[in-house]
Protein backbone atom coordinates (compact mmCIF):
# COMPACT_ATOMS: atom_id res chain seq x y z
CA UNK A 1 0.00 0.00 0.00
CA UNK A 2 2.87 2.34 0.77
CA UNK A 3 4.50 1.53 -2.56
CA UNK A 4 1.25 2.23 -4.36
CA UNK A 5 0.85 5.58 -2.61
CA UNK A 6 4.43 6.53 -3.48
CA UNK A 7 3.88 5.66 -7.14
CA UNK A 8 0.73 7.72 -7.30
CA UNK A 9 2.41 10.71 -5.64
CA UNK A 10 5.30 10.58 -8.10
CA UNK A 11 3.08 10.80 -11.15
CA UNK A 12 2.13 14.50 -10.93
CA UNK A 13 5.81 15.40 -10.53
CA UNK A 14 6.71 13.56 -13.73
CA UNK A 15 3.88 15.22 -15.60
CA UNK A 16 5.03 18.59 -14.31
CA UNK A 17 8.60 17.99 -15.50
CA UNK A 18 7.37 16.74 -18.85
CA UNK A 19 5.17 19.80 -19.29
CA UNK A 20 8.04 22.08 -18.31
CA UNK A 21 10.29 20.47 -20.95
CA UNK A 22 7.80 21.04 -23.76
CA UNK A 23 7.31 24.64 -22.69
CA UNK A 24 11.06 25.23 -22.67
CA UNK A 25 11.72 23.42 -25.96
CA UNK A 26 10.80 26.38 -28.23
CA UNK A 27 13.12 28.62 -26.18
CA UNK A 28 15.95 26.10 -26.51
CA UNK A 29 15.42 25.90 -30.28
CA UNK A 30 15.45 29.69 -30.63
CA UNK A 31 18.62 30.00 -28.52
CA UNK A 32 20.31 27.25 -30.55
CA UNK A 33 19.38 28.99 -33.81
CA UNK A 34 20.64 32.35 -32.56
CA UNK A 35 23.96 30.85 -31.45
CA UNK A 36 24.31 29.00 -34.74
CA UNK A 37 23.62 32.18 -36.70
CA UNK A 38 26.17 34.11 -34.64
CA UNK A 39 28.81 31.45 -35.32
CA UNK A 40 27.84 31.42 -39.00
CA UNK A 41 28.02 35.20 -39.23
CA UNK A 42 31.38 35.72 -37.57
CA UNK A 43 33.37 32.47 -37.28
CA UNK A 44 32.61 29.48 -39.52
CA UNK A 45 29.93 28.92 -42.14
CA UNK A 46 28.95 25.85 -44.14
CA UNK A 47 28.60 26.26 -47.91
CA UNK A 48 26.97 24.05 -50.51
CA UNK A 49 28.81 23.47 -53.82
CA UNK A 50 26.24 24.07 -56.59
CA UNK A 51 28.27 23.46 -59.76
CA UNK A 52 31.11 21.50 -61.35
CA UNK A 53 33.47 24.49 -61.56
CA UNK A 54 35.84 23.26 -58.83
CA UNK A 55 36.00 19.57 -59.80
CA UNK A 56 37.71 17.35 -58.87
CA UNK A 57 38.81 19.25 -55.78
CA UNK A 58 35.15 19.84 -54.90
CA UNK A 59 32.25 18.01 -56.48
CA UNK A 60 28.71 19.23 -57.03
CA UNK A 61 26.62 18.87 -53.82
CA UNK A 62 29.71 18.77 -51.58
CA UNK A 63 29.67 20.84 -48.38
CA UNK A 64 32.64 22.82 -47.11
CA UNK A 65 33.35 24.86 -44.02
CA UNK A 66 34.54 28.43 -44.54
CA UNK A 67 36.78 30.21 -42.03
CA UNK A 68 35.56 33.82 -41.75
CA UNK A 69 38.24 34.93 -39.29
CA UNK A 70 41.45 33.84 -41.02
CA UNK A 71 41.80 36.98 -43.15
CA UNK A 72 41.70 39.13 -40.05
CA UNK A 73 45.08 37.69 -39.05
CA UNK A 74 46.71 37.10 -42.45
CA UNK A 75 46.42 38.22 -46.06
CA UNK A 76 44.71 36.18 -48.74
CA UNK A 77 47.31 33.93 -50.36
CA UNK A 78 47.69 32.49 -53.83
CA UNK A 79 46.25 28.99 -53.88
CA UNK A 80 43.57 29.70 -51.25
CA UNK A 81 40.07 28.49 -52.10
CA UNK A 82 37.78 31.39 -51.27
CA UNK A 83 34.04 31.93 -51.12
CA UNK A 84 32.95 35.39 -52.21
CA UNK A 85 29.77 37.27 -52.95
CA UNK A 86 28.89 38.18 -56.53
CA UNK A 87 26.00 40.48 -55.64
CA UNK A 88 25.68 43.33 -58.16
CA UNK A 89 28.49 41.86 -60.26
CA UNK A 90 28.74 38.30 -61.51
CA UNK A 91 25.70 36.44 -62.78
CA UNK A 92 25.09 33.07 -61.13
CA UNK A 93 26.71 29.98 -62.62
CA UNK A 94 23.60 28.03 -61.65
CA UNK A 95 20.11 29.49 -62.01
CA UNK A 96 17.53 28.92 -59.25
CA UNK A 97 13.79 29.48 -59.30
CA UNK A 98 12.72 32.20 -56.83
CA UNK A 99 10.78 31.03 -53.74
CA UNK A 100 7.07 30.68 -54.38
CA UNK A 101 6.04 32.52 -51.19
CA UNK A 102 7.51 34.24 -48.10
CA UNK A 103 7.47 31.00 -46.08
CA UNK A 104 9.45 29.17 -48.76
CA UNK A 105 11.76 32.19 -48.96
CA UNK A 106 12.40 32.01 -45.21
CA UNK A 107 13.25 28.31 -45.30
CA UNK A 108 15.50 28.88 -48.29
CA UNK A 109 17.31 31.62 -46.36
CA UNK A 110 17.78 29.28 -43.38
CA UNK A 111 18.97 26.49 -45.68
CA UNK A 112 21.49 28.81 -47.32
CA UNK A 113 22.72 30.05 -43.94
CA UNK A 114 23.49 26.51 -42.80
CA UNK A 115 24.88 25.19 -46.08
CA UNK A 116 21.90 22.93 -46.84
CA UNK A 117 21.06 24.69 -50.12
CA UNK A 118 23.33 26.79 -52.37
CA UNK A 119 23.40 30.58 -52.29
CA UNK A 120 22.39 32.24 -55.54
CA UNK A 121 25.18 34.82 -55.48
CA UNK A 122 27.98 33.04 -53.65
CA UNK A 123 30.94 31.69 -55.58
CA UNK A 124 33.87 29.43 -54.75
CA UNK A 125 37.14 29.69 -56.70
CA UNK A 126 40.88 29.36 -56.26
CA UNK A 127 43.02 32.49 -55.91
CA UNK A 128 45.65 32.61 -58.66
CA UNK A 129 46.80 36.23 -58.39
CA UNK A 130 46.83 38.80 -55.59
CA UNK A 131 47.09 42.60 -55.96
CA UNK A 132 50.07 43.61 -58.10
CA UNK A 133 50.58 40.15 -59.63
CA UNK A 134 51.00 39.81 -63.38
CA UNK A 135 48.97 36.77 -64.40
CA UNK A 136 49.39 35.45 -67.93
CA UNK A 137 48.33 32.51 -70.04
CA UNK A 138 50.02 30.83 -71.46
CA UNK A 139 53.81 30.44 -71.51
CA UNK A 140 55.40 29.32 -74.76
CA UNK A 141 57.27 26.07 -75.12
CA UNK A 142 56.58 24.87 -71.57
CA UNK A 143 53.27 23.09 -71.91
CA UNK A 144 51.11 26.18 -72.01
CA UNK A 145 51.16 26.91 -68.29
CA UNK A 146 49.78 29.94 -66.48
CA UNK A 147 52.49 32.22 -65.16
CA UNK A 148 52.35 34.55 -62.17
CA UNK A 149 55.02 37.26 -62.24
CA UNK A 150 56.80 35.19 -64.89
CA UNK A 151 56.86 32.03 -62.76
CA UNK A 152 54.98 29.06 -64.31
CA UNK A 153 52.47 27.19 -62.16
CA UNK A 154 52.44 23.39 -62.03
CA UNK A 155 48.69 22.82 -61.67
CA UNK A 156 48.54 19.09 -62.29
CA UNK A 157 47.71 18.29 -58.65
CA UNK A 158 44.39 20.17 -58.69
CA UNK A 159 43.47 20.82 -62.32
CA UNK A 160 40.57 18.72 -63.64
CA UNK A 161 41.91 15.67 -65.54
CA UNK A 162 42.13 16.44 -69.26
CA UNK A 163 41.70 20.20 -68.84
CA UNK A 164 44.31 22.67 -70.05
CA UNK A 165 45.16 25.68 -67.85
CA UNK A 166 43.02 27.90 -70.09
CA UNK A 167 41.29 27.61 -73.45
CA UNK A 168 41.97 31.29 -74.16
CA UNK A 169 44.97 33.53 -73.66
CA UNK A 170 44.90 36.45 -71.25
CA UNK A 171 47.25 38.80 -69.47
CA UNK A 172 46.45 41.09 -66.56
CA UNK A 173 48.09 42.97 -63.74
CA UNK A 174 45.79 42.44 -60.78
CA UNK A 175 44.56 45.87 -59.60
CA UNK A 176 44.92 46.99 -55.97
CA UNK A 177 42.25 45.55 -53.70
CA UNK A 178 41.36 42.74 -56.11
CA UNK A 179 42.04 39.05 -56.77
CA UNK A 180 42.32 36.95 -59.92
CA UNK A 181 40.34 33.74 -59.29
CA UNK A 182 39.80 30.59 -61.34
CA UNK A 183 37.97 27.30 -60.97
CA UNK A 184 39.89 24.01 -60.99
CA UNK A 185 37.61 22.67 -63.75
CA UNK A 186 38.75 25.26 -66.25
CA UNK A 187 36.67 24.14 -69.24
CA UNK A 188 33.36 24.82 -67.43
CA UNK A 189 34.27 27.50 -64.88
CA UNK A 190 32.90 31.00 -65.42
CA UNK A 191 35.68 32.67 -63.47
CA UNK A 192 37.78 35.84 -63.82
CA UNK A 193 38.50 34.96 -67.46
CA UNK A 194 34.80 35.27 -68.32
CA UNK A 195 34.48 38.75 -66.79
CA UNK A 196 37.15 40.70 -68.65
CA UNK A 197 34.67 43.49 -69.38
CA UNK A 198 33.74 43.97 -65.74
CA UNK A 199 35.38 46.51 -63.41
CA UNK A 200 38.81 45.22 -62.48
CA UNK A 201 39.11 43.28 -65.72
CA UNK A 202 37.57 40.19 -64.13
CA UNK A 203 39.46 40.42 -60.83
CA UNK A 204 37.10 40.35 -57.85
CA UNK A 205 37.07 42.88 -54.97
CA UNK A 206 38.82 41.60 -51.85
CA UNK A 207 36.10 43.11 -49.68
CA UNK A 208 33.60 40.71 -51.27
CA UNK A 209 35.48 37.68 -49.95
CA UNK A 210 33.48 35.87 -47.26
CA UNK A 211 36.25 33.54 -46.13
CA UNK A 212 38.55 30.64 -46.91
CA UNK A 213 37.19 27.14 -47.56
CA UNK A 214 39.47 24.98 -45.43
CA UNK A 215 37.78 21.58 -45.11
CA UNK A 216 35.30 19.33 -46.91
CA UNK A 217 32.72 17.96 -44.48
CA UNK A 218 30.27 16.18 -46.80
CA UNK A 219 30.11 13.48 -48.01
CA UNK A 220 31.95 11.84 -45.12
CA UNK A 221 33.90 9.43 -47.31
CA UNK A 222 35.61 12.38 -49.03
CA UNK A 223 35.98 14.66 -46.02
CA UNK A 224 39.37 16.30 -45.60
CA UNK A 225 41.32 19.54 -45.47
CA UNK A 226 41.83 21.82 -48.47
CA UNK A 227 45.53 22.74 -48.43
CA UNK A 228 47.36 25.28 -50.59
CA UNK A 229 49.06 23.38 -53.46
CA UNK A 230 52.87 23.26 -53.36
CA UNK A 231 53.29 25.17 -56.62
CA UNK A 232 52.15 28.36 -54.86
CA UNK A 233 55.03 28.02 -52.43
CA UNK A 234 57.70 28.69 -55.06
CA UNK A 235 60.17 31.25 -53.71
CA UNK A 236 60.39 33.13 -56.99
CA UNK A 237 56.62 33.58 -57.06
CA UNK A 238 56.48 35.55 -53.83
CA UNK A 239 59.77 37.34 -54.45
CA UNK A 240 58.62 38.61 -57.83
CA UNK A 241 55.54 40.23 -56.31
CA UNK A 242 57.47 41.73 -53.43
CA UNK A 243 60.41 43.02 -55.46
CA UNK A 244 58.69 46.06 -56.97
CA UNK A 245 57.93 47.90 -53.70
CA UNK A 246 61.46 47.18 -52.46
CA UNK A 247 63.06 48.50 -55.64
CA UNK A 248 60.87 51.58 -55.56
CA UNK A 249 61.98 52.15 -51.98
CA UNK A 250 65.64 52.09 -53.00
CA UNK A 251 64.98 54.37 -55.97
CA UNK A 252 63.25 56.87 -53.72
CA UNK A 253 66.03 56.67 -51.12
CA UNK A 254 68.89 57.69 -53.44
CA UNK A 255 67.68 61.28 -54.09
CA UNK A 256 67.11 61.79 -50.35
CA UNK A 257 70.64 60.61 -49.50
CA UNK A 258 72.14 62.82 -52.24
CA UNK A 259 70.18 65.85 -51.00
CA UNK A 260 71.34 65.23 -47.44
CA UNK A 261 74.99 65.07 -48.54
CA UNK A 262 74.63 68.31 -50.54
CA UNK A 263 73.21 70.11 -47.48
CA UNK A 264 76.12 68.89 -45.37
CA UNK A 265 78.68 70.12 -47.96
CA UNK A 266 77.11 73.61 -48.03
CA UNK A 267 77.26 73.79 -44.23
Amino acid sequence: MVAEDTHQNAKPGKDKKSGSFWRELPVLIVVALVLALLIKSFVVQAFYIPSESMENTLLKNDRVLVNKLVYRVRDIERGDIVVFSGVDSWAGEVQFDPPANPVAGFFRWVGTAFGVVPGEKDYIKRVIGVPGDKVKCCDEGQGGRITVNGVPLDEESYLYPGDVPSLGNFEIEVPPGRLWVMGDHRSVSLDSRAHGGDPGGGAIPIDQVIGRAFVKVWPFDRAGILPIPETFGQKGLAAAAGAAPLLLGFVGAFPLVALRRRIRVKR
Side-chain angles (χ1 to χ4, degrees), residues 17-221:
K17 289 180 180 179
S18 177
S20 176
F21 170 77
W22 289 111
R23 284 196 299 272
E24 292 174 359
L25 183 60
V27 177
L28 292 173
I29 292 174
V30 170
V31 170
L33 283 173
V34 170
L35 289 175
L37 286 172
L38 286 173
I39 293 171
K40 167 257 176 188
S41 299
F42 300 106
V43 185
V44 174
Q45 183 174 354
F47 276 89
Y48 178 107
I49 307 302
S51 73
E52 299 86 0
S53 70
M54 283 296 294
E55 291 179 341
N56 277 335
T57 305
L58 298 170
L59 304 183
K60 187 177 180 180
N61 300 324
D62 280 359
R63 271 72 161 182
V64 298
L65 292 183
V66 172
N67 187 333
K68 306 180 88 168
L69 292 177
V70 62
Y71 297 135
R72 296 181 183 274
V73 297
R74 74 162 174 86
D75 292 333
I76 298 173
E77 298 178 3
R78 306 175 194 87
D80 280 352
I81 297 176
V82 297
V83 172
F84 61 96
S85 172
V87 174
D88 299 327
S89 57
W90 291 14
E93 289 183 304
V94 179
Q95 300 300 319
F96 302 99
D97 294 330
N101 54 63
V103 174
F106 170 77
F107 283 107
R108 180 173 183 80
W109 175 82
V110 172
T112 301
F114 292 100
V116 179
V117 297
E120 296 181 42
K121 284 289 188 176
D122 293 331
Y123 300 81
I124 184 164
K125 305 292 179 188
R126 189 181 297 278
V127 176
I128 303 298
V130 297
D133 281 348
K134 294 180 180 179
V135 186
K136 181 180 179 181
C137 187
C138 294
D139 63 346
E140 297 179 2
Q142 299 186 46
R145 293 175 293 182
I146 288 176
T147 63
V148 178
N149 301 317
V151 179
L153 299 179
D154 181 3
E155 301 188 282
E156 186 176 352
S157 66
Y158 58 86
L159 204 63
Y160 185 80
D163 270 11
V164 295
S166 180
L167 293 172
N169 294 332
F170 61 85
E171 184 173 359
I172 185 172
E173 180 171 341
V174 184
R178 290 182 176 267
L179 304 167
W180 184 265
V181 296
M182 301 177 73
D184 290 353
H185 194 171
R186 299 285 163 78
S187 60
V188 302
S189 178
L190 298 176
D191 47 43
S192 288
R193 298 168 297 164
H195 295 272
D198 293 354
I204 66 164
I206 288 178
D207 59 13
Q208 292 282 59
V209 172
I210 295 168
R212 179 189 176 218
F214 67 99
V215 63
K216 290 179 286 188
V217 293
W218 182 266
F220 291 134
D221 61 347

Side-chain angles (χ1 to χ4, degrees), residues 216-237:
K216 290 179 286 188
V217 293
W218 182 266
F220 291 134
D221 61 347
R222 295 198 319 105
I225 61 171
L226 297 168
I228 297 178
E230 291 183 3
T231 190
F232 292 99
Q234 298 178 75
K235 290 182 179 180
L237 193 67

